[in-house]
Amino acid sequence: MRIAFEHSYAALPARFFADVAPTKVRAPRLIRFNRGLAQALALDVDALDADAVAAIFGGNVVVEGARPIALAYAGHQFGNFVPQLGDGRAILLGELLDREGRRVDVQLKGAGPTPFSRRGDGRAAMGPVLREYVLSEAMHALSVPTTRALAAVATGEPVYREEALPGAVITRVAASHVRVGTFEFFSARRDHEGVRLLADHVLARHYPEASAREDRYVALVEAVLARHAALVAAWLSIGFVHGVMNTDNTQIAGETLDYGPCAFLDEYVPMGVFSSIDRQGRYAYGNQPRIAQWNLARFAETLLPLLAQDQGEAIAKAEAALDGFGPLFEAAYLARMRRKLGLAAERAADLALVQELLGLLARARADFTRTFRALGDAADAAGAGADATAAEALSAQLGGAPFDAWAARWRARLAEEGRAPAAVRAAMHAANPAVIARNHLVEAVIRAAVDREDFAPFEALVGELERPFETRAADSPYVQAPRPEERVEQTFCGT
Ligand code: AMP
Ligand code: MG
């Protein structure tokens, strides 16, 4: 078997990575292979049986054309700088050009120790592997920029955490694995040449439009800011809490990276925190824009020597660029929220309209996803039938009179735009998912797989999450908020 991998990252100097092969596992068994993604990558594996696919994506067979490497990076973790992290359990096989000509990394995660493993075993437990598979594919279906999952393979070996757990390997596909922490790795070593080589690699690979500008490193900062502003706006619009927004998890191409202790809000809590290790709530739902900007300030700092000869001038340029984050985020967020409310035009009062609704949700502890979906059902409350009933139910849930007052303003706004109610409802249903990867649903499929070797619930959930905007029967388990006993209050890195 040969895969036509390319190796633009491995063409960088040797200090950017370490050559290291995956460590073989006892009994690789394919849990799931993402055929759709494989097709998009023009990966021709149809001739292979499941065992052959498991051997490749479990790390037992290094296909011809691969050049396995682990990447060096540093990072700020919960605000503290760690000068060396690196791929401690991830191994890049190489890069592929997808059918649209986009270059992506294909990386095995959980494939054994590397020179960056420190005290870790280089392995991943099956639970977190399934979690990343479900979450990343769900985010993709919601049109949120994200890494993807190509394969999940059980290793047939235990990993030892607090207890012995079944091990697995996930194959992650990403625009690249360059992080803010990769820049910090070189910057902290005063390796200015390394920073410049990395910046040029990233410009050519992810931001060709910026590289055409004369001040291309300023353009790079601005472009990365814009992508992250859009990314965090997308997260907020679906109630997503990343949970571990360290700079080593902040991907330069602007995709959601690292599905550790992430979670979706059920009821709307503006400062919702789920991660067991986020004791101060640094990465709370509502803090995410601020933290993204903080992370990108760390990025801009690494580029200072490239921004201007004079340090004062370089800092001024970096600060000017970073000041752009707020407006970029606000614009991206409002665009997302307008779509959720069925609004096509822009009005100055839109932010207030959004915030007042969120205030009502917070007070009522209403379910974020269900409420927005129901709002679409209630788009035509003046009409007869289902819409009027839906509007009454929403009103009862969101506190009656205050909601009615809000809804009157919202409807007036809709009326101004003059679209037919059915069109508004359809537009809202295309912006407000019915099915998201709720924490209790994810937890249940992991329990079935890990405790009972039953992968059917995992398969079913992955299938449901491929079509998040489709209306389901009211009693479908996939659209329900968790019952009290099903609620997941805490999520774990579970590395
Ligand atoms: P994460 O929490 O997954 O973002 O990982 C943070 C750092 O810890 C990265 O450098 C990882 O490579 C490393 N790491 C996490 N788990 C392991 C493991 N089981 N073995 C080796 N390194 C690990
Ligand atoms: Mg990470």
Side-chain angles (χ1 to χ4, degrees), residues 25-60:
V25 299
R26 192 186 300 153
R29 195 169 50 77
L30 190 61
I31 298 172
R32 191 168 208 279
F33 186 64
N34 190 339
R35 300 232 160 245
L37 179 56
Q39 271 160 18
L41 298 178
L43 250 186
D44 184 18
V45 293
D46 283 350
L48 302 179
D49 63 20
D51 286 346
V53 173
I56 295 170
F57 297 106
N60 278 14

Side-chain angles (χ1 to χ4, degrees), residues 73 77 89 109 172 179 244 248-249 257-258:
Y73 57 84
Q77 301 190 310
R89 54 173 174 160
K109 183 171 164 190
R172 181 159 69 183
R179 311 138 191 267
V244 59
D248 53 303
N249 294 331
L257 170 73
D258 202 320

Side-chain angles (χ1 to χ4, degrees), residues 49-364:
D49 63 20
D51 286 346
V53 173
I56 295 170
F57 297 106
N60 278 14
V61 170
V62 176
V63 292
E64 213 186 302
R67 177 181 174 184
I69 60 173
L71 276 47
Y73 57 84
H76 276 88
Q77 301 190 310
F78 292 92
N80 304 307
F81 186 61
V82 184
Q84 180 163 322
L85 293 164
D87 286 335
R89 54 173 174 160
I91 296 181
L92 179 65
L93 296 179
E95 301 148 15
L96 289 175
L97 297 183
D98 72 12
R99 289 196 189 276
E100 267 136 53
R102 280 181 306 233
R103 181 179 297 270
V104 293
D105 277 4
V106 178
Q107 185 202 60
L108 305 182
K109 183 171 164 190
T114 78
F116 303 106
S117 295
R118 294 171 291 163
R119 284 188 299 277
D121 60 2
R123 291 299 181 190
M126 186 186 288
V129 163
L130 298 181
R131 221 176 132 66
E132 171 153 348
Y133 195 115
V134 169
L135 266 298
S136 64
E137 288 304 300
M139 293 288 266
H140 172 71
L142 291 167
S143 299
V144 179
T146 178
T147 64
R148 305 280 313 268
L150 179 63
V153 175
T155 60
E157 291 176 2
V159 297
Y160 299 95
R161 299 294 180 254
E162 262 136 45
E163 53 190 322
L165 296 166
V169 177
I170 185 162
T171 304
R172 181 159 69 183
V173 172
S176 83
H177 285 86
V178 180
R179 311 138 191 267
V180 168
T182 319
F183 281 88
E184 291 178 293
F185 178 86
F186 296 104
S187 176
R189 286 164 178 70
R190 308 204 177 287
D191 180 353
H192 298 323
E193 177 65 8
V195 172
R196 194 183 59 77
L197 288 169
L198 186 62
D200 289 341
H201 175 85
V202 160
L203 276 164
R205 185 166 174 179
H206 301 302
Y207 299 100
E209 64 293 348
S211 62
R213 263 172 56 178
E214 201 184 322
D215 56 347
R216 61 187 192 280
Y217 300 114
V218 175
L220 175 61
V221 175
E222 290 171 358
V224 175
L225 279 164
R227 286 215 195 152
H228 278 272
L231 180 66
V232 175
W235 289 353
L236 294 199
S237 77
I238 52 172
F240 181 75
V241 190
H242 181 283
V244 59
M245 287 177 73
N246 295 330
T247 57
D248 53 303
N249 294 331
T250 306
Q251 189 225 44
I252 290 293
E255 291 177 336
T256 312
L257 170 73
D258 202 320
Y259 290 88
C262 61
F264 277 91
L265 297 179
D266 291 307
E267 75 266 22
Y268 180 67
V269 179
M271 281 296 159
V273 180
F274 296 85
S275 167
S276 60
I277 56 170
D278 189 5
R279 297 204 180 82
Q280 319 274 315
R282 178 181 172 89
Y283 300 142
Y285 170 80
N287 277 347
Q288 295 181 112
R290 220 163 50 72
I291 291 291
Q293 189 176 20
W294 190 90
N295 289 344
L296 295 168
R298 304 290 78 74
F299 171 55
E301 277 166 9
T302 70
L303 294 183
L304 286 177
L306 296 174
L307 297 184
Q309 297 256 301
D310 175 69
Q311 207 196 0
E313 194 187 328
I315 291 173
K317 284 186 179 178
E319 282 178 347
L322 288 164
D323 283 345
F325 185 83
L328 283 168
F329 168 74
E330 188 164 306
Y333 178 71
L334 265 176
R336 289 265 176 186
M337 297 311 286
R338 277 193 197 98
R339 282 194 64 216
K340 289 177 78 71
L341 292 182
L343 303 173
E346 297 177 18
R347 294 282 184 278
D350 289 349
L351 185 58
L353 194 68
V354 168
Q355 285 173 338
E356 276 170 46
L357 175 64
L358 291 176
L360 295 172
L361 259 77
R363 217 163 308 144

